[in-house]
Amino acid sequence: LDSHTHTPFSRSAIGTFFQQRPLLTNPFTQDALLRAYLQRHLPVRGVQEELMRFGERVVCEVEALGRQCELNPPALQRYDPWGRRLDRILTCDAWAHLRRISAHEGLVAAAYERTYGEWSRVFQMSKMYLFAPSAGLYTCPLAMTDGAAKVIETLGMPARKAFERLTTRDDKRFWTSGQWMTERRGGSDVSSGTETVAKRQQDGWFKLYGFKWFTSATDADMTLTLARVTDEHGRTTPGSRGLSLFLAEVWDSDGSSNGIEVQRLKDKLGTRQVPTAELLLDGMNARLLSEEGRGVASIANMLTITRIYNTVCAVAAMRRIVHLSREYACKRSAFGKLLKDHALHVQTLSRMEVETRAAFLLTMEVCRLLGREENRSASEREILLLRLMTPVAKLYTAKQAVSVVSEGLESFGGQGYIEDTGLPSMLRDAQVLSIWEGTTNVLSLDVLRSIEKSSGSVLQAFFSDERLQPAEASPALRPALASLRASLSALKRFCETAASRPTGAIELSARDLAYSLARVYMGALLVDHAAWEHATHTDVYTALRWCDQDVCPVVSRDAAGCFDPQTTAMDSALVYDG
Ligand code: UCC
Ligand code: FAD
């Protein structure tokens, strides 16, 4: 007998067992909640077929392209062979292919074609949600492209040609946009941090001089950026009032860059597919888009869109990891049975699913509000809610994504840590979601800004939601309703007493307040969904599970004295102990 046929670990045989990998299948057919949500709110013929078709394309085509982008990150070609400065960012073919697919599929255009009226954003973002986890972060340039189109539209079409290019389905004409805000001194505090100056030219255009410290998808065709207009003595106005919004094309008609030097590409933890660069603006020709001094307020419309994309991409990442984790649990055995038959493992997966469902409903709610606002069918209350819930949804889902994706990696055991499974990049890419487009604390303060600026009307809009009414009729939902009602009353009391608190207390409560608004709203949306006539027992179970937890941490932390300004000294002592 040949010993090789009987010795499993000899040289020619490396064992007989090979674990089957988790298989990605059509993300639309896999997603019970997305399908139910659309069946309930957008039961239009063609929508489900379109998403089914697109889901198939994501698996068969987009997934491989996204992976290629991860494996072939962009490079900077600074000089040509003869020493001339080029500053060309080289991206892989897959990146270019994703651009074409994005244009053809109307991933931005669908929002502006408004085929589904007030539901057009929900439709567009449903597509984006299917696309995002496979698309190698091509969602990043799309977010900024959509945001730029939104700014132009809101300002009354001062750049119609650019708008048409940003929203076309023709890949030959399609433009992507950048969003260059962050400078060395500040990415959060843009108003103090912006040093870039804009010098007016005789023809009414401007030349910009400055240094943009983080610019993503720097291969864009155009960008929106902030700068300070100089007066005839070269002086500028400090702070927010000195900032204006500019539109610049990145490349001149001869293919050379528009007064831009790429200093270097960033070496990043994740988002490696995306070229993120440091740019020196050395006389970049640009046109003023906003009124002078209205730069921050004008670019805020872009921030609304990019923050909503961030939210969509966060929940999409969660859904993808749950999809793969549950699939793997049907294939992997340990201790004599499949993982799916280990109650503790399934409990872990079900907790991830609850987080994902809550995040999904909040995300779609924000998209619904945006769609209504754009269709001019939103009530005043809905416009206020959109303002309040955009930062809330962004900050909360970003944190959920890091936690759910991290848990998801663990569900593959050691394989979750192995690069060529493609899983680790999901965690790396999730980590950015809470940093860019405003960090958690900065967005928590934006929530306070929205409350203050509206003299509390955004909170009135929040508390006047009558969505819980239909659930009264469902005995199964009673515990969830009771918990939500108690939390809502406590949250309302907290907000009512806010004004009388000592200076500093409200700022200290900002993050917990934002988390509470998120969790309570998610609870209400889960209960509302579970009260729908076609809801399933798993919808009811999700609502109950969500409302089991402390959905209102601002109240419990307040009771523990966490927002007493005197805690700041102790916090500081603790942090700097030793
Ligand atoms: O990070 C980036 C990444 C790009 C990659 C794209 C990824 C997309 C997602 C894809 C997923 C895969 S781009 C850079 C992002 N940077 C930020 O997010 C900045 C973070 N910092 C802030 O948000 C700050 O809060 C600032 C910069 C807005 C603070 O500025 P000010 O000037 O100190 O704020 P003020 O003075 O309070 O506000 C100035 C005006 C006010 O309007 P008026 O003058 O009419 O009273 C505010 O009400 O701006 C208005 N405003 C807003 N309006 C400020 N924030 C908002 C807002 N969020 N919505 C509406
Ligand atoms: P800082 O503002 O220095 O913040 C540091 C810490 O302080 C944070 O934890 C923050 O929460 C906290 N903090 C700040 N202020 C307060 C406060 N008032 N109260 C409490 N806590 C506070 N920017 C662009 O303009 N365009 C881009 O295309 C772009 N792409 C990016 C791509 C990547 C991969 C990354 C990582 C960043 C990108 N950025 C981009 C920059 C990004 O928007 C900023 O990094 C971000 O807004 C934070 O700004 P900062 O880095 O200056 O941090």
Side-chain angles (χ1 to χ4, degrees):
L1 277 177
D2 179 353
S3 64
H4 282 142
T5 55
H6 289 281
T7 314
F9 293 98
S10 63
R11 270 202 177 164
S12 58
I14 51 171
T16 53
F17 173 77
F18 296 98
Q19 178 61 47
Q20 282 184 52
R21 68 192 172 97
L23 205 62
L24 179 67
T25 49
N26 190 324
F28 183 66
T29 53
Q30 282 285 326
D31 198 326
L33 184 58
L34 171 62
R35 283 186 286 117
Y37 182 90
L38 292 172
Q39 188 195 334
R40 181 180 181 194
H41 296 289
L42 187 53
V44 175
R45 265 189 74 202
V47 166
Q48 302 249 350
E49 285 89 338
E50 166 66 357
L51 294 177
M52 184 82 79
R53 177 201 63 76
F54 187 58
E56 215 49 49
R57 187 171 193 190
V58 166
V59 177
C60 301
E61 195 177 355
V62 176
E63 174 70 9
L65 295 170
R67 187 73 190 137
Q68 279 178 47
C69 292
E70 170 78 17
L71 298 176
N72 302 290
L76 171 61
Q77 188 186 6
R78 189 167 283 137
Y79 298 100
D80 80 0
W82 306 99
R84 283 189 199 87
R85 191 88 191 215
L86 275 183
D87 287 4
R88 191 139 298 156
I89 290 166
L90 307 172
T91 52
C92 64
D93 291 346
W95 185 255
H97 200 143
L98 286 169
R99 175 193 175 101
R100 289 195 293 277
I101 290 176
S102 302
H104 291 161
E105 292 284 352
L107 290 178
V108 174
Y112 296 88
E113 292 162 354
R114 306 209 169 122
T115 308
Y116 299 106
E118 65 186 52
W119 291 98
S120 298
R121 277 290 179 185
V122 163
F123 171 72
Q124 176 221 6
M125 290 302 186
S126 298
K127 240 176 142 169
M128 198 67 68
Y129 163 78
L130 297 177
F131 180 69
S134 293
L137 259 292
Y138 205 78
T139 42
C140 167
L142 295 180
M144 298 187 287
T145 301
D146 198 336
K150 175 78 173 174
V151 168
I152 296 171
E153 188 180 59
T154 311
L155 290 173
M157 292 291 189
R160 186 174 291 277
K161 277 196 186 140
F163 177 84
E164 281 165 1
R165 282 185 173 265
L166 297 168
T167 58
T168 182
R169 283 180 184 249
D170 176 356
D171 70 274
K172 304 249 166 16
R173 294 179 45 72
F174 182 51
W175 270 6
T176 59
S177 178
Q179 172 186 13
W180 302 350
M181 297 174 69
T182 306
E183 301 195 8
R184 280 204 201 93
R185 278 177 194 276
S188 307
D189 186 4
V190 171
S191 303
S192 321
T194 305
E195 295 178 296
T196 300
V197 294
K199 295 188 175 167
R200 194 186 300 273
Q201 306 298 295
Q202 283 189 335
D203 59 4
W205 280 58
F206 289 79
K207 279 195 183 292
L208 268 51
Y209 299 86
F211 197 100
K212 297 292 173 182
W213 180 234
F214 274 95
T215 61
S216 278
T218 310
D219 60 331
D221 304 281
M222 59 161 269
T223 192
L224 297 189
T225 192
L226 296 171
R228 295 182 194 283
V229 175
T230 57
D231 66 15
E232 63 273 24
H233 306 292
R235 289 178 305 221
T236 55
T237 308
S240 189
R241 284 184 312 111
L243 286 178
S244 303
L245 179 64
F246 292 85
L247 185 158
E249 291 184 27
V250 177
W251 308 104
D252 286 335
S253 45
D254 64 358
S256 55
S257 82
N258 173 13
I260 301 164
E261 268 187 19
V262 183
Q263 295 304 301
R264 58 176 167 163
L265 287 181
K266 298 282 199 189
D267 185 5
K268 297 172 288 177
L269 169 70
T271 69
R272 291 180 186 170
Q273 316 86 328
V274 180
T276 303
E278 296 168 15
L279 300 181
L280 175 74
L281 310 186
D282 185 8
M284 179 176 80
N285 291 309
R287 56 181 289 199
L288 183 64
L289 210 57
S290 69
E291 264 176 59
E292 270 185 49
R294 297 292 296 159
V296 175
S298 302
I299 209 165
N301 283 305
M302 183 175 218
L303 294 175
T304 299
I305 298 295
T306 46
R307 286 170 184 173
I308 292 175
Y309 269 73
N310 205 88
T311 307
V312 170
C313 293
V315 66
M318 289 185 241
R319 172 52 67 209
R320 173 58 56 85
I321 200 78
V322 171
H323 175 163
L324 295 176
S325 295
R326 74 176 189 172
E327 217 276 324
Y328 189 64
C330 299
K331 293 178 166 163
R332 178 74 174 169
S333 287
F335 300 99
K337 54 188 179 184
L338 290 167
L339 294 179
K340 77 173 179 57
D341 298 322
H342 286 279
L344 188 55
H345 188 73
V346 175
Q347 180 200 64
T348 306
L349 298 187
S350 102
R351 287 180 181 170
M352 291 161 62
E353 177 69 29
V354 169
E355 293 291 330
T356 306
R357 286 184 179 218
F360 174 86
L361 288 179
L362 178 62
T363 302
M364 282 299 154
E365 172 68 358
V366 174
C367 296
R368 184 186 75 83
L369 292 169
L370 176 65
R372 282 177 67 78
E373 187 243 342
E374 293 180 332
N375 195 51
R376 296 181 202 284
S377 39
S379 63
E380 205 177 310
R381 185 184 154 266
E382 287 173 321
I383 290 171
L384 290 166
L385 261 184
L386 175 64
R387 172 68 185 95
L388 177 69
M389 296 314 290
T390 299
V392 166
K394 190 281 189 183
L395 73 87
Y396 197 77
T397 56
K399 288 294 198 198
Q400 281 180 303
V402 177
S403 143
V404 169
V405 172
S406 170
E407 188 71 78
L409 256 57
E410 191 176 333
S411 79
F412 297 94
Q415 285 301 93
Y417 207 70
I418 297 304
E419 274 298 336
D420 58 5
T421 61
L423 295 165
S425 66
M426 293 180 71
L427 184 58
R428 282 200 296 269
D429 291 346
Q431 184 64 60
V432 82
L433 297 169
S434 64
I435 297 175
W436 68 11
E437 294 304 342
T439 61
T440 312
N441 282 350
V442 166
L443 291 182
S444 301
L445 295 173
D446 186 49
V447 171
L448 294 188
R449 177 193 283 109
S450 76
I451 296 171
E452 203 176 307
K453 187 104 205 291
S454 69
S455 311
S457 300
V458 292
L459 286 178
Q460 279 166 24
F462 183 89
F463 289 116
S464 65
D465 202 314
E466 285 174 358
R467 194 182 309 262
L468 292 179
Q469 299 272 314
E472 306 279 5
S474 161
L477 286 169
R478 222 162 264 157
L481 263 182
S483 145
L484 276 181
R485 290 215 188 284
S487 294
L488 267 168
S489 314
L491 184 56
K492 200 167 179 203
R493 266 197 311 280
F494 175 85
C495 293
E496 282 163 358
T497 57
S500 58
R501 285 162 191 265
T503 318
I506 288 303
E507 186 182 324
L508 285 177
S509 73
R511 187 189 273 240
D512 291 313
L513 174 63
Y515 279 24
S516 303
L517 291 167
R519 286 191 201 165
V520 168
Y521 207 71
M522 285 165 156
L525 292 166
L526 286 166
V527 164
D528 169 64
H529 184 74
W532 175 44
E533 56 178 323
H534 298 298
T536 64
H537 61 291
T538 53
D539 295 322
V540 174
Y541 184 70
T542 311
L544 294 172
R545 276 281 170 262
W546 183 262
C547 297
D548 268 353
Q549 54 171 332
D550 178 7
V551 291
C552 204
V554 75
V555 170
S556 38
R557 293 247 165 86
D558 188 32
C562 295
F563 311 136
D564 180 342
Q566 288 178 357
T567 58
T568 302
M570 264 324 284
D571 284 342
S572 189
L574 176 62
V575 170
Y576 294 102
D577 203 6

